[in-house]
Amino acid sequence: MHNITRVALVGGTHGNELSGIYLLKKWDKTSQFARWPQLELTQTIANPRACEHSVRYMETDLNREFALEDLQNYRLVGYEQLLAKKLNQQFGPRGRSPVELMIDLHNTTSNMGACLMLLRKDAFNIGMAAYVKDRMPEAVIYFQDNLPKERKRFLISVAQQGVTVEVGPQPNSVLQQETLELMETMTAHILDYVVLYNDDKLASLPAGFEAFQYTEDLVLPTDEQGQRLAMVSKRLDRRDFHPVEPGDVIMETFDGVPICWEGDYTAYPLFINEAAYHRSHSAMSMSQRIVLRCADYF
Ligand SMILES: [Zn+2]
């Protein structure tokens, strides 16, 4: 088993998602990092300029700038494109990083609760999910290991292992105590888990746990001018991770025509009406409920 010792905690990858930025400040002030003396913890604000302006990004979304070919493309010299190259030097390089785990702290405006987003189904990630879900039953475990390779352009992909803590609903540029507490609890559980994982003391993991698996993204219909023709149905408002059956109404056009879920499976939507995705006209992502057995991975 490969030990996970060098752990990078990152906030402010998106400058208007305040929980991560303030969790790092809070833990710094209260010396919380000393709770995990076994780990080499570092803390970083990924996009300080965006944080200063309280915007998601200055020019382009930093969390989409870490494709290997983009990191190696020196014609890409926008603000976030250069920042990504700097972060890749600091934490990477991608593919040969000394950082064994990166935890990236995010907020969503969607009602996703405390969501642990994972990019792999290996023993380390499965164990983490099981441990977090066991100690924090309200947590949502979300696997997006099946995202196509060209979509895995996240900051966390620079490190050997990376997870995203995504907590909402919280408006952009707002700090809410409850959201901060959820993020703090989940992040602490992750770090506790890493220590147990290294000590090979995971005997008490539950046999299995419920999770959600990414399936697809849904966009709002638009006309030839790119104007929206519909909105998300009020039936889905704030109902992230609630089941949607085939034929259920999920959107409605402005002239009152319902648009139904055309998939052939019970879907569990997430990122419903997420504010940051307004440009792409994203309505929501879809997932399926899965149950994972720890014994299959250990
Ligand atoms: Zn974010």
Side-chain angles (χ1 to χ4, degrees), residues 2-8 38-41 98 100-101 194 198:
H2 176 56
N3 262 23
I4 307 271
T5 308
R6 281 166 291 225
V7 180
Q38 309 90 332
L39 305 177
E40 283 177 45
L41 279 173
E100 284 135 349
L101 173 64
V194 173
N198 289 341

Side-chain angles (χ1 to χ4, degrees), residues 221 229-232 251-259:
L229 298 171
M231 59 186 156
V232 173
M251 303 177 207
E252 191 173 306
T253 69
F254 296 118
D255 38 20
V257 179
I259 299 173

Side-chain angles (χ1 to χ4, degrees), residues 14 17 56 106-107 166:
H14 294 136
E17 298 175 6
R56 183 173 174 89
H106 287 256
N107 290 123
E166 183 80 73

Side-chain angles (χ1 to χ4, degrees), residues 13-17 56 61 63-64 104-108 164-166 271 274 276-277:
T13 302
H14 294 136
N16 56 5
E17 298 175 6
R56 183 173 174 89
D61 190 334
N63 210 25
R64 306 289 183 270
D104 199 9
L105 305 170
H106 287 256
N107 290 123
T108 170
T164 303
V165 175
E166 183 80 73
F271 286 120
E274 159 60 47
Y277 301 156

Side-chain angles (χ1 to χ4, degrees), residues 88-148:
N88 188 45
Q89 275 181 355
Q90 185 179 341
F91 293 112
R94 183 173 170 162
R96 287 179 289 124
S97 172
V99 176
E100 284 135 349
L101 173 64
M102 184 181 283
I103 305 171
D104 199 9
L105 305 170
H106 287 256
N107 290 123
T108 170
T109 61
S110 304
N111 188 22
M112 284 165 55
C115 183
L116 177 60
M117 302 175 72
L118 300 169
L119 282 175
R120 282 187 208 158
K121 279 199 198 92
D122 57 10
F124 176 70
N125 282 269
I126 293 288
M128 181 192 295
Y131 181 88
V132 169
K133 183 78 182 162
D134 190 46
R135 269 132 189 107
M136 192 179 178
E138 73 272 34
V140 176
I141 311 297
Y142 175 62
F143 285 96
Q144 46 179 359
D145 52 309
N146 56 337
L147 273 181

